[in-house]
Amino acid sequence: MFPVTIICEGSSENAYLQSLNRILRCTNYSWDVGPFIPRVAHQGYYGSVIAKLKEEQQRNRKSTFHVWVDRDIYIRNTKNSQTNYQQKPKNIPNFFFSTMNFEDFLMLHCKDSLLNEWIAICVQHQHFNTPMTDADYMPLYRSLLPNYKKGELPFDLTKDRVTLMLDRLKRPKNPFANDFGMFLSTALTNGKIEFIA
């Protein structure tokens, strides 16, 4: 029985993983699927997450490790993150990316009208070509989810919301890809994780 440590960019991913652990129960532990243990890097830059990854690997050699960050930083190549990622050593796992950021991923859990409004805003601001920065997208995001704060979820995470997100990730026209969501989908499909009844 091995835990899965997720080196995540920020406190919002941490809150999500903590909530997800509450509604998921692992029934058939294997080396790659166990309880999710979030460890916050506080930044998504390549150097920051690798430093956190190495620190956590020293602390717990029995865990399986993954890294979950926003793709926008890598598209902009902020602090040479994309350049460094492309040259990463083989012992560094491939990252789970949120396209373009975690807030986009959260919208996949919301009702159709909210999701469609957010997609329209993203198209209008060319978010899919040149990702908006935090300063640009947060006021727009809060116009749809006014209670959203970094480090907190703007809704209660439920089985139905997770199922909705997983279904949307499988749609060919979904603009918000998410590698962690696909990892979760695969684990559920393989029967390694079970929803609590």
Side-chain angles (χ1 to χ4, degrees):
M1 184 186 313
F2 295 99
V4 176
T5 300
I6 307 285
I7 307 301
C8 52
E9 182 168 330
S11 55
S12 296
E13 289 90 344
N14 178 61
Y16 183 87
L17 290 166
Q18 295 288 0
S19 294
L20 182 62
N21 278 333
R22 283 192 280 276
I23 62 169
L24 292 175
R25 171 172 49 112
C26 298
T27 58
N28 183 16
Y29 289 97
S30 68
W31 70 271
D32 61 347
V33 177
F36 298 115
I37 302 169
R39 294 292 183 252
V40 180
H42 300 289
Q43 295 177 339
Y45 308 125
Y46 180 85
S48 299
V49 295
I50 294 303
K52 186 66 175 176
L53 173 65
K54 290 180 178 178
E55 174 189 328
E56 293 298 327
Q57 285 174 328
Q58 288 296 316
R59 286 186 185 172
N60 187 354
R61 296 183 186 274
K62 293 184 178 180
S63 186
T64 298
F65 290 88
H66 294 282
V67 175
W68 184 10
V69 294
D70 293 345
R71 188 172 295 282
D72 59 350
I73 291 171
Y74 291 76
I75 289 175
R76 289 191 288 268
N77 201 23
T78 309
K79 295 191 177 184
N80 292 316
S81 291
Q82 180 64 14
T83 302
N84 292 329
Y85 180 71
Q86 288 174 333
Q87 298 169 359
K88 72 179 178 60
K90 289 182 180 178
N91 65 333
I92 301 296
N94 290 334
F95 290 6
F96 293 152
F97 286 103
S98 293
T99 303
M100 293 296 178
N101 53 53
F102 181 73
E103 286 76 16
D104 296 334
F105 171 67
L106 279 184
M107 271 299 176
L108 294 174
H109 299 72
C110 296
K111 60 185 180 179
D112 287 342
S113 58
L114 272 179
L115 176 61
N116 291 335
E117 281 185 69
W118 183 242
I119 290 171
I121 288 169
C122 289
V123 168
Q124 179 184 359
H125 290 84
Q126 300 181 356
H127 184 54
F128 302 114
N129 300 319
T130 307
M132 290 183 277
T133 64
D134 194 56
D136 294 327
Y137 73 75
M138 284 308 291
L140 299 167
Y141 198 80
R142 286 191 181 121
S143 71
L144 301 179
L145 292 170
N147 295 327
Y148 177 62
K149 295 176 187 171
K150 295 275 190 179
E152 299 176 12
L153 299 182
F155 46 70
D156 289 330
L157 192 64
T158 63
K159 174 186 172 181
D160 290 342
R161 285 188 186 272
V162 173
T163 301
L164 179 62
M165 175 272 295
L166 294 172
D167 289 344
R168 285 176 168 156
L169 283 176
K170 294 174 187 172
R171 296 177 189 172
K173 294 187 179 180
N174 166 46
F176 301 124
N178 187 278
D179 297 328
F180 174 77
M182 294 308 295
F183 170 78
L184 182 62
S185 178
T186 300
L188 287 165
T189 301
N190 291 337
K192 294 179 180 175
I193 296 177
E194 179 181 281
F195 277 115
I196 293 174

